[in-house]
C-alpha cells in the first residue's frame, strides 16, 4: 500500500536537524504498517469466508472460493497460536518511536490479540473472541445456522468456476457441521451444557432446514437461481440436490442426534454461572464485550440508573401526547398496538415495512451534512432476515459491503413478527442500522486511507460499533430527524430504554442468576415489548453472555468523550471535524477511544 512521504515533508520544512528523529519515526511507522499488512494478508489466507465477504476470493486467492473456514478444534488452536505469535511481533515495535495515528494502530491490534491469547488460554470451551460464545452450537451460532445464509447472500456466481466452488463449499458445509459436533461433545464432557430451551431452539432451526425437500431447500435453490441469472449451462441444481441428500442432510441428522443427547443433560434457566469457572467467565465476558474494566455489578447498577432516567423522559413525552394512564411500559405497549402504529401480519405489510425503512434512510441521508464532512461511497440496502433462520436470529443486523464493490452493504430486519415493528420506532431503527449508525461508521472505516487494511476489515469492537449506533440515534434527534414528530422521539427514547434494560437483564441472568421467565418479565415491565419479543431477546442473552451490555455501555462512553472534548474546546469544538477524527481512525476499544479523543482535543486547543 502507498504511504505518505513524510520524510520529504519534514526535510523541506524543518531542516536537516530534524531529519534524524523524523526518519526514526517513519521507519518505525513503516515497520508497523508492514507488520499489520502481513497480518491482514494472513487473516484473509486463513479465512475463505473473509476472502469472499471482502471480494478478495479471486486471482491468486481463487482457490479460497471453494473452501470454508476451519472450524475444527485444531483450527481453533492454530488461530490461538497465531495470535500469540502476533503479540510477540507487535511488542517488538517501539511504541515511543511511532506517530500518533500509528500508536492507535498498535494499541488497537495489540489489545485484540492480547485479549485473544489471555481468554483463549483461560477458557477452552466455546469461542472467546471480541464477544464470548460459550456454546459451539446454539440458536444463534454454529455452521448449520450461518453457512446457508453465507452461501446464499455472499457467494457470487457469475462463471462455471464460481458454481463449482459453490458445490465444493456445499460439501465442506457437511464437514463443518461434523466439526461443530466434535467440539460440542468435548465441551459437554467438560461440563459445558446449554440451558434446555437453547437446545430446543437449536433443534427447531435444524429441523426447519432438514425437513425441506432437497430440491427446495435454500442450499439448492440459491445455486439454481444464481446459475440461471448468470446463464450458465449445466444441471447445477441437480448436482446441489445430490450433495444435500448424500452429504449435508446426513451430517445434519448427526447434529440433530448430538443435540438431542445434549438436551437430555440440560437444565432450565442456567446462565453461564453454571459453567466451570462461570463467575469469572462472565466477568471476563463483560470486559471483552464492553472493552472496559466494569464489573458485572457496576454494569447492573448503570442499567438501573439509566432505566430510571430514560423512563422519566419518556413519561413526559407520552403525557404530552395524552397517554397518561399506567406505567411507561404499559403506555408504550398500548402505543405499539395502536392501529395507526401497528403493521398487520401479512407479507404485504412486511414489504411495506421495508419500503418505509428505505424512505427513512433517504430522509436521514438528507440530514447528514449537518454533522458530517465525510460520507461513505458505499450504499446500503434494507433486506429481510432469511426465513429459515429468523427464529433464532437477532431482530436486526448489518452486513458490510464487499471491498470490490460487488455487493452493497445491507441491513437485515427480522420480520417474523410484524408486531415487533410499530411505525413510530422505524426511523430510529434506520438511524441505528444504516446512517448515521452502523453503515456510516463501518463504511467510512473501510474506505478510510488513514488506517491499515487490517483495521478497516479485520478488527471490530462491539462496544465501539454498537455504542456508536446508539450515539447515532441520539445524533439523529439532535440534527432534527424527529422535529415535529414527538412519537418518533418516543421511539428513539424507547430504543435507549431497551438498551439500558439489557444491562440489567444480561447481568441479572449471568450475575444474579435470574431465570428466563424473570428476565422476560423484567423486559416486558420495563420497555413494553410483547412477551414473545422480550423472550427472544432474553434467550439471546443466555447464549451470548455479555454482548448485550456493549450497546449502552458503548453509548455512555461515546457521549462522555464527546462532552469532554466540547468542554475542553468550547467554541473551538467542530462537530464535523470531531466525527472525522473518530470515524476515520477506525474501530477501537473504548479505553483506546478515550485516549484518542483526549489527544485530538488537545491538538485542537
Amino acid at each position: 500500500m502507498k504511504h505518505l512521504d513524510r520524510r520529504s515533508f519534514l526535510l523541506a520544512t524543518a531542516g536537516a536537524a530534524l531529519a534524524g528523529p523524523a526518519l526514526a519515526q517513519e521507519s518505525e511507522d513503516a515497520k508497523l504498517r508492514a507488520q499489520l499488512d502481513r497480518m491482514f494478508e494472513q487473516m484473509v489466507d486463513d479465512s475463505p469466508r473473509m476472502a469472499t465477504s471482502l471480494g478478495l476470493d479471486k486471482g491468486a486467492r481463487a482457490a479460497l472460493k471453494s473452501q470454508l473456514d476451519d472450524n475444527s478444534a485444531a483450527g481453533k488452536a492454530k488461530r490461538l497460536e497465531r495470535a500469540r505469535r502476533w503479540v510477540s511481533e507487535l511488542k517488538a515495535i517501539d511504541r515511543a518511536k511511532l506517530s500518533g495515528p500509528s500508536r492507535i494502530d498498535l494499541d488497537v491490534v495489540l489489545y485484540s490479540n492480547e485479549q485473544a491469547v489471555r481468554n483463549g488460554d483461560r477458557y477452552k470451551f466455546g469461542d472467546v473472541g471480541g464477544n464470548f460464545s460459550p456454546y459451539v452450537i446454539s440458536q444463534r451460532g454454529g455452521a448449520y445456522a450461518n453457512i446457508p445464509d453465507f452461501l446464499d447472500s455472499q457467494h457470487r456466481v457469475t462463471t462455471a468456476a464460481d458454481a463449482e466452488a459453490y458445490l465444493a463449499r456445499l460439501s465442506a458445509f457437511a464437514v463443518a457441521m461434523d466439526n461443530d459436533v466434535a467440539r460440542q461433545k468435548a465441551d459437554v464432557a467438560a461440563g459445558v451444557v446449554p440451558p434446555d430451551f437453547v437446545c430446543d431452539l437449536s433443534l427447531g432451526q435444524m429441523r426447519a432446514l432438514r425437513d425441506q425437500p432437497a430440491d427446495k431447500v435454500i442450499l439448492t435453490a440459491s445455486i439454481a437461481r444464481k446459475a440461471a441469472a448468470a446463464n450458465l449451462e449445466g444441471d447445477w441444481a441437480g448436482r446441489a440436490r445430490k450433495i444435500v441428500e448424500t452429504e449435508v442432510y446426513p451430517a445434519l441428522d448427526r447434529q440433530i442426534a448430538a443435540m438431542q443427547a445434549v438436551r437430555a443433560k440440560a437444565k432450565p434457566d442456567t446462565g453461564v454461572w453454571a459453567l466451570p469457572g462461570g463467575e469469572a467467565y462472565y466477568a471476563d465476558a463483560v470486559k471483552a464485550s464492553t472493552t472496559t474494566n466494569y464489573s458485572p455489578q457496576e454494569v447492573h447498577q448503570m442499567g438501573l440508573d439509566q432505566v430510571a432516567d430514560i423512563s422519566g423522559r419518556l413519561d413526559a413525552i407520552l403525557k404530552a401526547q395524552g397517554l397518561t394512564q399506567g406505567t411507561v411500559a404499559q403506555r408504550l405497549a398500548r402505543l405499539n398496538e395502536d392501529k395507526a402504529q401497528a403493521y398487520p401480519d401479512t407479507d404485504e405489510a412486511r414489504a411495506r415495512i421495508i419500503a418505509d425503512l428505505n424512505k427513512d434512510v433517504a430522509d436521514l441521508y438528507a440530514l447528514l451534512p449537518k454533522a458530517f464532512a465525510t460520507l461513505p461511497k458505499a450504499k446500503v440496502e434494507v433486506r429481510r432476515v432469511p426465513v429459515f433462520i429468523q427464529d433464532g436470529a437477532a431482530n436486526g443486523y448489518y452486513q458490510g459491503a464487499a471491498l470490490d464493490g460487488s455487493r452493497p452493504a445491507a441491513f437485515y430486519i427480522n420480520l417474523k413478527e410484524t408486531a415487533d415493528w410499530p411505525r413510530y420506532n422505524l426511523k430510529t431503527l434506520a438511524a441505528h442500522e444504516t446512517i448515521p449508525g452502523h453503515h456510516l461508521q463501518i463504511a467510512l472505516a473501510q474506505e478510510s486511507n488513514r488506517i491499515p487494511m487490517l483495521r478497516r476489515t479485520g478488527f471490530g469492537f462491539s462496544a465501539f460499533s454498537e455504542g456508536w449506533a446508539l450515539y447515532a440515534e441520539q445524533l439523529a434527534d439532535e440534527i432534527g430527524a424527529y422535529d415535529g414528530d414527538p412519537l418518533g422521539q418516543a421511539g428513539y427514547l424507547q430504543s435507549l430504554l431497551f438498551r439500558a434494560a439489557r444491562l440489567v437483564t444480561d447481568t441479572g441472568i449471568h450475575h444474579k442468576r435470574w431465570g428466563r421467565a424473570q428476565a422476560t418479565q423484567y423486559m416486558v415491565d420495563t420497555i413494553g415489548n410483547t412477551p414473545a419479543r422480550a423472550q427472544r431477546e432474553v434467550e439471546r442473552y443466555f447464549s451470548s453472555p455479555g454482548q448485550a451490555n456493549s450497546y449502552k455501555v458503548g453509548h455512555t462512553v461515546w457521549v462522555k468523550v464527546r462532552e469532554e472534548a466540547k468542554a475542553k474546546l468550547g467554541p473551538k469544538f467542530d462537530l464535523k471535524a470531531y466525527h472525522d477524527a473518530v470515524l476515520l481512525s477506525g474501530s477501537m476499544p473504548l479505553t483506546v477511544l478515550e485516549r484518542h479523543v483526549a489527544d485530538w482535543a488537545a491538538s485542537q486547543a
Side-chain angles (χ1 to χ4, degrees), residues 49-255:
R49 288 188 59 177
M50 182 179 182
T52 291
S53 295
L54 296 177
L56 299 176
D57 56 353
K58 57 190 68 171
R61 290 194 174 102
L64 295 180
K65 196 162 189 174
S66 300
Q67 304 168 26
L68 295 172
D69 292 12
D70 183 357
N71 65 328
S72 66
K76 178 184 173 184
K78 181 180 177 181
R79 288 186 291 274
L80 176 60
E81 293 312 306
R82 184 184 70 182
R84 199 185 313 279
R85 185 180 72 255
W86 283 349
V87 167
S88 177
E89 291 169 351
L90 289 168
K91 285 187 172 180
I93 302 291
D94 188 342
R95 188 179 186 276
K97 294 180 180 178
L98 294 173
S99 64
S102 290
R103 287 179 185 177
I104 294 173
D105 292 337
L106 177 64
D107 291 348
V108 170
V109 180
L110 185 57
Y111 175 97
S112 184
N113 282 281
E114 284 183 328
Q115 291 297 308
V117 171
R118 175 184 179 274
N119 293 322
D121 284 342
R122 182 170 291 188
Y123 305 110
K124 295 302 183 183
F125 57 87
D127 290 292
V128 286
N131 296 307
F132 283 18
S133 298
Y135 313 118
V136 177
I137 305 171
S138 72
Q139 83 276 24
R140 286 182 49 76
Y144 86 93
N146 56 52
I147 289 179
D149 182 32
F150 164 74
L151 289 175
D152 182 51
S153 65
Q154 298 192 43
H155 186 109
R156 297 182 70 225
V157 174
T158 58
T159 67
D162 294 339
E164 292 288 356
Y166 182 101
L167 296 181
R169 277 180 160 168
L170 204 52
S171 290
F173 175 34
V175 176
M177 284 191 285
D178 284 340
N179 287 339
D180 277 352
V181 168
R183 286 183 56 202
Q184 181 191 56
K185 286 181 177 178
D187 287 356
V188 169
V192 181
V193 179
D196 54 8
F197 58 83
V198 168
C199 298
D200 292 339
L201 289 167
S202 305
L203 284 165
Q205 292 187 167
M206 291 175 199
R207 288 172 177 141
L209 186 64
R210 177 64 178 87
D211 291 346
Q212 298 176 62
D215 61 339
K216 302 295 184 184
V217 71
I218 187 68
L219 299 163
T220 304
S222 181
I223 185 65
R225 183 184 71 251
K226 293 173 181 178
N231 295 314
L232 299 183
E233 295 183 359
D235 186 15
W236 301 105
R239 292 174 63 189
R241 175 182 52 75
K242 184 175 181 181
I243 294 171
V244 169
E245 289 175 338
T246 62
E247 299 178 49
V248 173
Y249 278 174
L252 192 52
D253 288 338
R254 292 190 291 273
Q255 189 165 98

Side-chain angles (χ1 to χ4, degrees), residues 295-307:
S295 69
Q297 182 56 43
E298 287 172 326
V299 172
H300 190 79
Q301 189 60 51
M302 180 188 296
L304 291 172
D305 294 343
Q306 294 192 11
V307 163

